[in-house]
Amino acid sequence: MSDNVTVPIRMLVFSSPDCYACPEVERIVHKLVGSSMADICHVSTVDVVEKPKIAEKYNIKLLPTIMIDEEIVLQGLVGESDIRDVLCERVIGSIIKKEKTFEARKETLLFISKNSFDSIMNEEFIRPFIGDYIHVGVMQQMIVCLVALD
């Protein structure tokens, strides 16, 4: 499913040239994301000396700070295993959420398509109180959508 993830996870790493722990945390983040998660996780490094307004906006008080999707997840000197655990938890959670959404949309479209097809083939009213049959153009659009889902 990772091929279908269209909105990457946004990660911000706040650091400073004066911070002794920042280069190591940045190296670990780029190593982990660059090796296995580059297609679903976008990493940006923010130098708090050059861009203090961004640090102020997110209320960054301790360096290094790692944010994922606008939420502070790690601060201070952290190890590779801590960063890996947070990344895996967020990435797996994001993928599962997107899979559930995709499956729900697919099931809904299949249900609508089946009802529409039955309406056309059996000349049954899809909306019995109004008395309409579904238009063939709508059916064609739904078939195109089904093909696009697969």
Side-chain angles (χ1 to χ4, degrees), residues 59-113:
N59 199 24
I60 304 301
K61 303 289 184 199
L62 183 64
L63 294 177
T65 296
I66 299 175
M67 289 184 73
I68 296 179
D69 292 336
E70 309 269 334
E71 180 184 343
I72 296 174
V73 292
L74 293 171
Q75 286 186 315
L77 182 58
V78 292
E80 186 171 342
S81 62
D82 297 326
I83 297 170
R84 183 183 298 113
D85 291 346
V86 167
L87 272 174
C88 288
E89 178 184 319
R90 290 299 178 110
V91 168
I92 290 169
S94 176
I95 291 170
I96 289 171
K97 180 180 175 185
K98 289 177 192 315
E99 278 183 355
K100 286 181 181 177
T101 302
F102 178 78
E103 289 301 318
R105 288 180 181 167
K106 189 174 180 180
E107 285 178 26
T108 302
L109 190 55
L110 286 170
F111 178 77
I112 291 170
S113 297

Side-chain angles (χ1 to χ4, degrees), residues 116-132:
S116 301
F117 185 75
D118 288 346
S119 172
I120 293 169
M121 297 308 292
N122 300 329
E123 295 183 354
E124 294 175 358
F125 292 124
I126 204 162
R127 297 180 291 180
F129 298 112
I130 299 175
D132 281 351

Side-chain angles (χ1 to χ4, degrees), residues 5-33:
V5 177
T6 56
V7 180
I9 295 168
R10 182 173 174 233
M11 177 184 277
L12 295 175
V13 180
F14 291 89
S15 66
S16 167
D18 302 334
C19 173
Y20 71 93
C22 292
E24 182 64 16
V25 171
E26 286 180 48
R27 184 191 65 75
I28 292 170
V29 167
H30 287 287
K31 175 185 153 192
L32 292 173
V33 172

Side-chain angles (χ1 to χ4, degrees), residues 35-50:
S35 63
S36 60
M37 301 179 195
D39 57 336
I40 54 177
C41 187
H42 176 74
V43 178
S44 296
T45 302
V46 178
D47 185 341
V48 296
V49 174
E50 291 179 8

